[in-house]
Amino acid sequence: MVKKSRWKKRLKIGCLGLFGIVIILAIVASRLISFSMTEEEVDEFYSQASKKPISEFYLVGDYEMHYKVLENSNGGTFIFIHGTPGSWDAFKGYFLDSALYNQATIVSLDRPGFGQSSNGEAVASLEEQSALLKPILEKYPAPRILIGHSLGGPIAARIAMDHPDLVEGIIMIAPAIAPDLEPEEDWFRVPMRWPLLRTLVPQVMKVSNEEVIYLKEELELMLPLWKNIKASSVVIQGTADNLVHPGNGPFADSMLVNAPKEIIMLDSQNHFLPWNETVLVKKTMLDMLINLKSKKTPKP
């Protein structure tokens, strides 16, 4: 009996110790996991490049925003908006293409809460995110073309709704824009907000969770505003996308009633179009830029 009691006691202590180690490792991981490159990694990635983007920061009130930019004096600006989670370097390869940087300024931003943009301070409101990105539009030359992937798609649309005089073109890639096509809330999202579990979740995932929880509501708020978009618009959507419903392509077609538009549906393609359809994305960007510069935009 004594030996059995000691065995149970040791097992209990061992389990508690193991649980404590798991908690500590989870907390450490939550501080280390990031979707953003370090500056050393950035330097290494662009070590052989003839041109390298630089970091810029600005404040909107007390909120600090960060982005990378490769400037060009020819006129025109490409502005990349990443999904969730993510950071500016989702589009790092596009800065290497001379066909792009010889034609326009290239900007790729850390959206609010990600990367170096007030890291960890989530902004669930798409209207507030639009306001936080407005200074970039005001700083760089027209025609300004927004390229938004996944959750970056509705943010590009929201900016075009809120600041139509500052946006000449939008390219939405696998965009999550249709509220009725948003999946039912995943069971783990609310528990992720509980105080104890929040300490175990990587910071970048907390920010992403806050965005996704409120996304359907935010998309519903946008429904009456789609008519405000008059910028040239292209939507690229894969029919085999299992993260964003392919029906978002037809939804955009039905909502962009006042914009010159093109909806490109790609058979058997998935959600990761900026990287596995790079040629198409770049061609779409350059074609739109040329059309806007020549003021020859397609008819709605």
Side-chain angles (χ1 to χ4, degrees):
M1 289 293 294
V2 174
K3 288 183 178 180
K4 188 174 183 180
S5 176
R6 287 177 179 174
W7 180 83
K8 286 184 177 180
K9 185 176 181 180
R10 288 173 181 174
L11 179 62
K12 183 177 180 180
I13 293 173
C15 289
L16 288 173
L18 180 61
F19 180 72
I21 292 172
V22 170
I23 293 293
I24 292 171
L25 290 176
I27 292 173
V28 171
S30 74
R31 302 295 185 267
L32 296 179
I33 293 175
S34 172
F35 281 77
S36 183
M37 298 170 71
T38 65
E39 284 305 310
E40 290 76 15
E41 291 171 331
V42 173
D43 289 340
E44 182 178 355
F45 183 82
Y46 293 108
S47 61
Q48 304 300 316
S50 57
K51 295 187 177 183
K52 171 188 168 184
I54 63 171
S55 284
E56 294 284 356
F57 295 86
Y58 65 91
L59 289 174
V60 179
D62 295 328
Y63 203 99
E64 184 177 54
M65 291 293 299
H66 167 261
Y67 62 93
K68 289 285 188 179
V69 60
L70 190 55
E71 291 195 56
N72 184 295
S73 59
N74 286 339
T77 308
F78 296 123
I79 302 171
F80 289 100
I81 307 173
H82 65 78
T84 188
S87 68
W88 75 269
D89 57 54
F91 304 99
K92 62 183 182 294
Y94 286 80
F95 285 98
L96 296 172
D97 194 327
S98 61
L100 297 179
Y101 64 66
N102 284 336
Q103 293 296 321
T105 292
I106 303 177
V107 171
S108 187
L109 53 94
D110 282 334
R111 287 200 300 102
F114 296 102
Q116 298 183 65
S117 288
S118 288
N119 187 24
E121 295 184 34
V123 177
S125 166
L126 300 189
E127 182 179 12
E128 289 182 30
Q129 292 211 35
S130 170
L132 287 169
L133 301 183
K134 183 182 178 183
I136 295 177
L137 305 176
E138 295 173 324
K139 181 174 181 178
Y140 295 104
R144 290 158 290 243
I145 298 172
L146 309 180
I147 304 101
H149 174 241
S150 197
L151 199 144
I155 294 172
R158 183 74 208 212
I159 296 170
M161 295 170 181
D162 296 343
H163 313 293
D165 56 325
L166 294 174
V167 178
E168 287 74 32
I170 58 173
I171 300 172
M172 294 183 286
I173 307 171
I177 51 179
D180 290 343
L181 295 179
E182 279 300 291
E184 293 298 320
E185 187 175 284
D186 294 314
W187 65 268
F188 59 84
R189 294 204 176 276
V190 172
M192 277 177 64
R193 305 176 81 202
W194 296 348
L196 177 59
L197 290 183
R198 279 182 63 84
T199 64
L200 307 179
V201 177
Q203 192 68 37
V204 68
M205 299 308 296
K206 291 183 216 176
V207 177
S208 179
N209 193 52
E210 287 299 298
E211 292 187 322
V212 174
I213 282 178
Y214 293 103
L215 181 56
K216 181 171 182 174
E217 179 182 332
E218 289 296 311
L219 296 179
E220 289 172 345
L221 293 174
M222 289 169 55
L223 288 175
L225 303 177
W226 280 93
K227 64 181 182 297
N228 296 347
I229 297 181
K230 297 180 172 62
S232 294
S233 303
V234 174
V235 176
I236 306 175
Q237 175 66 56
T239 62
D241 191 332
N242 59 3
L243 294 178
V244 167
H245 196 288
N248 279 276
F251 173 83
D253 193 21
S254 69
M255 300 303 288
L256 291 165
V257 293
N258 293 316
K261 64 190 175 186
E262 181 181 6
I263 313 298
I264 303 173
M265 300 296 295
L266 300 177
D267 288 338
S268 303
Q269 262 295 6
N270 60 26
H271 188 64
F272 304 105
L273 303 179
W275 308 286
N276 54 29
E277 287 289 345
T278 306
V279 173
L280 173 62
V281 173
K282 290 178 179 179
K283 182 179 185 303
T284 302
M285 292 166 59
L286 290 170
D287 286 349
M288 181 177 286
L289 180 68
I290 292 169
N291 284 333
L292 289 171
K293 282 186 173 182
S294 64
K295 298 183 179 180
K296 294 180 180 179
T297 55
K299 295 181 180 180

